[in-house]
Amino acid sequence: MTLALTAEEQAIAAGRDGEGAAMAMRIVAESGRLLGAQRLIPIASAHIDGALYHGDSGTLFAEKLVAGGAHVGVRATLNVGALDLTGCALVRLKEPQRGMARRMMEAYRALGCEQSWTCAPYQAGHRPAKGTDVAWGESNAVVFCNSVLGARTNRYGDFLDIACAIAARAPDYGLHRQENRRARLVFDVSGLPAAFLAAETAWPILGSLYGREVGDAIGVVTGIPPHPGEDALKAFGAAAASSGAVGLFHIAGVTPEAPDLDSALGGAAPETTIRVTPEMAEAARARLSTAEKPDTIHAVAIGSPHLSLAEFEILERLVAGRRLSVPLYACTGRHVLPGLERDGRRKALEACGVLVVADTCVVVTPIMPDRINGVLMTNSGKFAHYAPGNTGYSVLYGSLADCVESAVAGKPVFARLG
């Protein structure tokens, strides 16, 4: 099978609309050929992960697109960058990397992308309708888009994401196709205690376990009580997409393509059923911590994916005006700042020792101080997965309440199990 381009697509690839558009179309078309797609399909939007500086080549690639006159053909929001352009946080990135990171962010602005700079675009108003084909990057955004919104995207990597946005097309393969979206396995959590399932900590723990168990398979979770809320699903999907290559999950009775178990399975019998035991959940919890019984912590980081305003409200109640002994980095999108700054709320948190970080996060760019044998506490399954390798800190996992109490005390405090 070979990929066939329409006359319009061939004309763009040949340079009719400029070299930037031609380069983008050729990238999308060649990717489609490599993936075995027979055609390209129109997309309604994109979310771009490729604007995070990892080296000069990414900046030069984006600037080549700009120089070629390229412009996005669909709505395109931007994932986190390497700098906090809002001025909330002090990023320690040095020159010349800092200048190249700024040039990269500017190039994506020039391409017509929205300056959203958040890994949670779905909480910043970018919510494509169920069944809509899109091209999203950033693993947590991809899994949320597919699973919670019911839109259709594959896990688009850096630079293919912006190429799709410019071409306004994506290869027709993978999760764009209905036959690839039905669940093949059941992930049954009905054997877990109700108190655990009701706790905030359950979602990163179960997401981490789910990703580890299923890899890139499509599964359906059963045994979940009524809808847990978007922040819980956000935490589950982020952890699952970090520990495994999860692009889509279903939760029976909760997510839009799984009104019931039979619908999620497409009327077929599951190929596998994973029955989660309390012992499996406890082992997953233990794997989220890499610090071995520390007697002190040096920082707390929350907000991966970025904190919602509702999560900040919980943080405010937990801090309750107390002074923190160690810094608590609260990562969020700029779309949250207006609500947070109303009535002096941000200033009150900062006076207690909370450090608000926008546009980026502490795991993808140097914000936290370098520290040998540093211990970072978090309630994020994604932070727990990536922080040791990206920051050099070992990780201690706990609930948000645990994180706040530990930040106040300067040492691990576990307020409650769950």
Side-chain angles (χ1 to χ4, degrees), residues 80-81 86 100 119 221 258 265 295 322 353 366:
V80 295
T86 68
M100 292 299 283
C119 56
V221 183
L265 291 167
D295 56 10
R322 293 176 293 169

Side-chain angles (χ1 to χ4, degrees), residues 50-62 82 93 96-97 100-101 104 158-159:
L52 174 62
Y53 177 78
H54 291 296
D56 291 357
S57 59
T59 300
L60 299 176
F61 173 80
L93 196 64
Q97 291 82 8
M100 292 299 283
M104 188 177 201
D158 291 1
F159 315 142

Side-chain angles (χ1 to χ4, degrees), residues 92-113:
R92 298 185 296 107
L93 196 64
K94 303 298 184 183
E95 297 293 353
Q97 291 82 8
R98 188 181 189 91
M100 292 299 283
R102 184 172 288 276
R103 281 172 53 182
M104 188 177 201
M105 297 172 85
E106 172 58 24
Y108 278 91
R109 184 202 65 77
L111 290 170
C113 300

Side-chain angles (χ1 to χ4, degrees), residues 115-367:
Q115 305 298 284
S116 50
W117 303 116
T118 181
C119 56
Y122 44 84
Q123 294 188 327
H126 191 178
R127 299 172 69 91
K130 179 184 176 183
T132 302
D133 287 297
V134 298
W136 280 31
E138 160 55 31
S139 62
N140 107 81
V142 167
V143 74
F144 191 98
C145 182
N146 275 317
S147 309
V148 183
L149 300 181
R152 300 183 176 198
T153 181
N154 292 303
R155 287 169 56 121
Y156 286 97
D158 291 1
F159 315 142
L160 179 54
D161 50 13
I162 187 61
C164 288
I166 294 167
R169 289 163 178 82
D172 183 22
Y173 85 106
L175 295 176
H176 289 293
R177 302 184 65 85
Q178 179 62 35
E179 64 268 23
N180 296 326
R181 296 180 66 87
R182 77 169 182 85
R184 261 65 177 183
L185 63 86
V186 172
F187 188 81
D188 182 4
V189 302
S190 61
L192 299 178
F196 171 77
L197 292 175
E200 163 221 340
T201 49
W203 297 96
I205 291 169
L206 291 178
S208 177
L209 178 62
Y210 181 90
R212 187 182 180 93
E213 292 286 334
V214 311
D216 63 354
I218 310 299
V220 54
V221 183
T222 60
I224 295 295
H227 199 299
E230 281 199 0
D231 284 326
L233 298 180
K234 174 179 76 173
F236 178 90
S242 299
S243 63
V246 176
L248 165 64
F249 65 84
H250 303 289
I251 299 181
V254 173
T255 54
E257 293 175 74
D260 52 47
L261 177 60
D262 190 60
S263 298
L265 291 167
E271 297 170 8
T272 307
T273 297
I274 300 169
R275 291 185 170 82
V276 181
T277 65
E279 292 76 18
M280 292 169 66
E282 184 53 40
R285 181 203 295 269
R287 281 193 297 268
L288 290 174
S289 293
T290 59
E292 296 185 7
K293 298 181 179 178
D295 56 10
T296 187
I297 64 169
H298 303 99
V300 170
I302 59 176
S304 182
H306 276 164
L307 293 174
S308 66
L309 192 58
E311 288 172 311
F312 266 110
E313 291 168 356
I314 297 171
L315 177 63
E316 289 172 309
R317 291 198 297 270
L318 291 170
V319 172
R322 293 176 293 169
R323 181 67 192 176
L324 307 181
S325 297
V326 300
L328 189 156
Y329 297 90
C331 305
T332 193
R334 55 174 58 190
H335 62 281
V336 170
L337 295 181
L340 188 61
E341 290 171 347
R342 196 172 299 124
D343 302 321
R345 296 169 61 191
R346 176 181 157 193
K347 288 183 178 179
L349 282 172
E350 290 175 334
C352 294
V354 174
L355 301 174
V356 176
V357 178
D359 288 353
T360 186
C361 85
V362 298
V363 167
V364 300
T365 200
I367 294 176

